[in-house]
Amino acid sequence: MIRVIALRLIGAIPNLIGVVVVTFLLTRELPGDPAAFFAGAAATPEAVEQIREKLGLNKTLIEQFGLYLFDLARGDFGQSLSTGQPVLTELVQRLPASLELTFFALLLATIIALPLGIMAATRPGSWIDHLCRLITTAGVSLPTFFTGLLLAYVFYFLLGIAPSPLGRLDPVFSPPRPVTGMYLIDSLLAGEGALFRACLAQLILPAITMGVFVLAPLARMTRASMLGVLSSDFIRTARASGLASSTVLYTYAFRNALLPVVTTLGMVFSFLLGSNVLVEKVFAWPGIGSYAIESLTASDYAPIQGFVLTMGVLYVLLNLSIDLIYGLIDPRVGLEA
Amino acid sequence: MSAEIPLLKVENFGLEFRTRSGVVHALEGLNLAIRKGETVGLVGESGSGKSVLSFAMLGISDAAARVTGGSAWFGGLDLLKAGESDLAEIRGREISMIFQNPRTALNPIRRVGAQIEDVLKRHAAVRSADLRARAVEALRSVNIPDPERRYAAYPFELSGGMCQRVMIALALACGPALLIADEPTTGLDVTTQAGIMDLIAERARASGMATLFITHDLALAAEHCDRIIVMHAGHIVEAAPRRELFAAPRHPYTAQLIRATPAAGSLLEGLSAIPGNLPDLRRRDLPSCRFRERCERASSACDAPLPRIDAEALSGVACWHPLAVVAEAA
């Protein structure tokens, strides 16, 4: 098992090298001149040239790439020009915020989507099936920024039961001692109940916003997969053996239906992580999505490269864990393959 | 023999499927009985309703199926009217079923031993500490070599024949009174086929279990059954003890089936295909005899309602122009 994981990680190195090369080249090819951007509109050409030299942008592409690799090898992701902070520090601060939001949203979506899909599959054509169809259609049709604004409007502005949609924690509280960087877990580890509730209150609206969006693919996939499995031969055998309907449904059907659901889960996870910029914007969530967008508009190379590389590593880890989960669910899946 | 109460007695059983393209009149007016310990072959071409009948007996029909009438008495219970919980008690304990394609009939991601244990846990009063031993015992009883090791195998690690043995072990784990074997050897090679058929026969003899053997292979039925029931397009057209049926088939369809079955030493020219196809069972104007349009003996007399075979009769034919009984003398 350990060996398999190690082999897979080694196998991922070429992918990561590819990611490094492509992001480096792409950021350099982006329109916009960071030197001119940071010198400001009133700067003289000499000042711009000075900044360019300071940033090392006057060197050849090869030289710049060599320097970049050298820094990377030392664990230096460079510095953000707009904030002046090391990229690594900022990523380490912001990634847990995005991860926490994404995990929580996925959890919410899964808790609702799987039972909904199962019930819709066991009673096709019933009201629950129609409800499932309605919710999933609504989920994909409503853009996240709209759902987010609507939720904030209703629960914060109108009803006043949600805290102001401004970041991860009400300023009255101070964040928990960082262990994982995820406030929910850290506050639990610190044993602070009130803090946990405050974090949860901030998290719940953006998480619902994202959860509603991924509910649809999950519920649809669960339903379709369950329908397929329920009509298969071994379910007939299980029923012909008189097994209790709960055994047939969960032990026999659901486990077999899980594989496509896990695949979908992995897909929406990576999708959420990289593209929840809109939700992060609406709720002023200090995640990596908004970080990347802000850097992109400022032609700030180092954070963009850092962001893409982080995402690359996350994708590799994600795919690896999905394959491992596959192996756990289905004995026919050889991990070595 | 007629005084004995049959194990399963089906009378005037009808079933239809409601589909988008119309009502399929799948089964109509079926009468049949299975006695304790006997092996009955249910023969007919694909689509004649053999499997539909057996699924209905177990109450595991497709959701679109609707029983239109009749009764199926098993012990003191009418299987067609029994509630789901009563049926679930009977399935796997009193009546078991094995299927074609043993590889797909077993849960692909569950160890075969665990699948047998599921059935034991459900029906047999076995202490959980003894479950494993009982499952291994069930595997041994179907002549699976090295059952302790096979207990932990997944279906994909076993051959098709081995999977069917597991399937039989699973079906017989609780000692049912009736085994429905739905084309149990389809998809297996010939030597494996013989092994599986012998195993079923041997286990049936040992426990006095009755077997309903569903097949489209008349030769296989001839080899293993005491009595044969021939189905065509949702009707039972003929029932007879094996010898009688082969010596003197009375229904034109049976006769054609026998002519279409290759035997040792028969030449290709000697085989004749049965003309036509099964009638479309969605038709509103289905003739009272559903073989009429394929039959060379049909006449206007065939418009009358079909004569039915009495459920408990050992032999009978549902035809107005049956072939002569004297054929045996010839």
Side-chain angles (χ1 to χ4, degrees):
Chain A
M1 185 73 164
I2 305 279
R3 211 178 69 92
V4 172
I5 296 174
L7 279 177
R8 287 290 302 265
L9 288 179
I10 292 169
I13 289 175
N15 297 346
L16 292 180
I17 292 175
V19 168
V20 168
V21 173
V22 171
T23 47
F24 178 83
L25 290 177
L26 276 183
T27 46
R28 293 310 185 272
E29 287 307 312
L30 280 178
D33 182 352
F37 186 87
F38 285 100
T44 57
E46 291 78 36
V48 172
E49 204 50 47
Q50 222 175 345
I51 292 178
R52 179 164 313 182
E53 202 164 321
K54 210 174 117 207
L55 295 177
L57 292 174
N58 53 349
K59 297 198 177 70
T60 63
L61 216 53
I62 305 287
E63 278 177 317
Q64 288 187 44
F65 187 59
L67 284 175
Y68 172 56
L69 282 188
F70 184 67
D71 286 344
L72 216 52
R74 290 183 307 161
D76 182 0
F77 279 48
Q79 275 199 338
S80 163
L81 295 177
S82 22
T83 62
Q85 294 283 319
V87 170
L88 193 61
T89 320
E90 289 201 299
L91 280 178
V92 166
Q93 274 171 4
R94 284 169 168 267
L95 184 61
S98 285
L99 280 178
E100 182 171 46
L101 180 56
T102 307
F103 275 131
F104 198 71
L106 266 188
L107 189 71
L108 281 183
T110 312
I111 288 174
I112 297 169
L114 293 196
L116 196 64
I118 293 174
M119 281 191 283
T122 46
R123 300 178 196 80
S126 68
W127 65 269
I128 193 116
D129 192 15
H130 294 302
L131 179 74
C132 176
R133 192 165 299 131
L134 185 77
I135 291 179
T136 52
T137 314
V140 282
S141 336
L142 298 174
T144 46
F145 67 87
F146 176 75
T147 325
L149 286 175
L150 186 72
L151 287 175
Y153 177 70
V154 172
F155 289 99
Y156 167 64
F157 185 74
L158 286 185
L159 300 176
I161 48 177
S164 58
L166 291 172
R168 300 176 76 184
L169 194 56
D170 198 289
V172 202
F173 293 92
S174 55
R177 197 165 52 83
V179 181
T180 61
M182 300 189 201
Y183 284 4
L184 281 187
I185 298 176
D186 288 351
S187 60
L188 275 186
L189 287 177
E192 296 182 62
L195 186 61
F196 177 78
R197 272 193 298 279
C199 296
L200 189 63
Q202 293 291 136
L203 185 60
I204 198 94
L205 286 190
I208 290 176
T209 308
M210 281 164 64
V212 165
F213 193 66
V214 295
L215 192 71
L218 280 178
R220 297 298 287 178
M221 188 46 88
T222 310
R223 177 180 180 274
S225 177
M226 277 299 276
L227 274 180
V229 170
L230 280 173
S231 64
S232 60
D233 286 357
F234 66 88
I235 294 297
R236 193 183 54 194
T237 307
R239 291 179 61 207
S241 312
L243 298 186
S245 54
S246 58
T247 316
V248 174
L249 199 55
Y250 297 107
T251 317
Y252 279 70
F254 183 59
R255 255 195 75 188
N256 273 283
L258 257 183
L259 281 188
V261 177
V262 169
T263 313
T264 315
L265 210 58
M267 266 159 50
V268 297
F269 181 82
S270 48
F271 172 77
L272 280 187
L273 200 59
S275 60
N276 53 18
V277 188
L278 290 172
V279 181
E280 291 187 355
K281 277 281 175 209
V282 169
F283 292 94
W285 199 261
I288 52 169
S290 47
Y291 182 57
I293 286 291
E294 280 156 21
S295 313
L296 203 57
T297 48
S299 293
D300 196 352
Y301 293 162
I304 303 172
Q305 288 165 335
F307 167 78
V308 178
L309 189 57
T310 314
M311 292 305 288
V313 172
L314 279 176
Y315 272 62
V316 168
L317 293 179
L318 182 73
N319 279 322
L320 178 62
S321 12
I322 286 176
D323 284 356
L324 292 178
I325 293 173
Y326 263 30
L328 286 181
I329 297 174
D330 191 339
R332 289 167 298 180
V333 177
L335 284 175
E336 279 76 9
Chain B
M1 192 143 193
S2 56
E4 195 188 341
I5 298 169
L7 186 65
L8 174 71
K9 183 176 173 183
V10 177
E11 275 185 309
N12 200 25
F13 173 46
L15 183 145
E16 61 188 24
F17 289 105
R18 313 215 144 173
T19 67
R20 274 183 201 169
S21 54
V23 177
V24 181
H25 307 282
L27 301 174
E28 189 185 75
L30 299 192
N31 292 329
L32 67 101
I34 299 171
R35 289 161 196 84
K36 204 166 166 294
E38 82 175 330
T39 300
V40 178
L42 191 60
V43 181
E45 59 195 291
S46 309
S48 57
K50 309 177 301 267
S51 299
V52 172
L53 169 66
S54 53
F55 291 162
M57 292 301 102
L58 284 174
I60 55 170
S61 298
D62 192 88
R66 234 175 51 94
V67 173
T68 53
S71 60
W73 289 97
F74 180 83
L77 190 72
D78 183 352
L79 298 175
L80 300 180
K81 296 191 180 66
E84 174 56 29
S85 60
D86 287 338
L87 283 174
E89 282 299 320
I90 284 184
R91 294 198 285 255
R93 189 165 74 179
E94 302 286 340
I95 307 178
S96 281
M97 187 157 179
I98 58 179
F99 302 90
Q100 48 185 319
N101 301 328
R103 283 179 169 287
T104 56
L106 290 168
N107 188 343
I109 62 171
R110 199 162 169 77
R111 296 180 194 280
V112 296
Q115 298 190 45
I116 296 177
E117 283 181 3
D118 286 338
V119 179
L120 288 170
K121 236 186 294 187
R122 173 74 176 87
H123 292 303
V126 184
R127 285 184 306 146
S128 38
D130 300 336
L131 269 177
R132 191 192 163 101
R134 281 283 300 267
V136 171
E137 194 43 52
L139 288 173
R140 183 174 291 120
S141 72
V142 292
N143 305 328
I144 287 181
D146 201 358
E148 281 89 2
R149 200 159 65 81
R150 295 286 191 271
Y151 169 92
Y154 290 100
F156 73 94
E157 296 168 327
L158 302 175
S159 68
M162 207 59 99
C163 281
Q164 193 59 289
R165 282 174 192 271
V166 170
M167 208 40 238
I168 294 171
L170 190 132
L172 302 188
C174 300
L178 172 64
L179 173 71
I180 302 177
D182 187 358
E183 310 238 6
T185 57
T186 306
L188 302 178
D189 66 64
V190 180
T191 39
T192 319
Q193 227 175 55
I196 295 290
M197 290 309 297
D198 289 344
L199 174 67
I200 296 175
E202 175 200 314
R203 291 294 308 266
R205 234 189 342 267
S207 61
M209 174 181 76
T211 312
L212 179 64
F213 175 51
I214 300 175
T215 181
H216 60 260
D217 185 344
L218 203 55
L220 204 61
E223 227 174 297
H224 295 276
C225 299
D226 306 321
R227 218 149 56 80
I228 291 176
I229 296 172
V230 182
M231 278 187 81
H232 174 267
H235 283 166
I236 289 176
V237 294
E238 182 165 9
R242 170 183 46 163
R243 259 175 235 290
E244 212 175 287
L245 188 93
F246 282 95
R250 301 203 55 213
H251 196 281
Y253 178 63
T254 316
Q256 291 189 3
L257 260 189
I258 293 172
R259 276 206 299 276
T261 305
S266 67
L267 296 170
L268 195 59
E269 299 86 69
L271 297 176
S272 57
I274 303 175
N277 288 309
L278 290 177
D280 183 349
L281 297 180
R282 284 171 303 193
R283 269 164 49 183
R284 283 163 190 275
D285 61 335
L286 274 174
S288 62
C289 170
R290 292 178 179 182
F291 187 61
R292 183 176 177 170
E293 284 151 15
R294 307 170 78 178
C295 183
E296 68 241 6
R297 301 169 72 89
S299 76
S300 57
C302 299
D303 289 334
L306 210 58
R308 300 283 179 206
I309 305 163
D310 184 55
E312 294 195 53
L314 281 179
S315 62
V317 59
C319 181
W320 290 113
H321 298 295
L323 294 135
V325 197
V326 287
E328 200 173 4

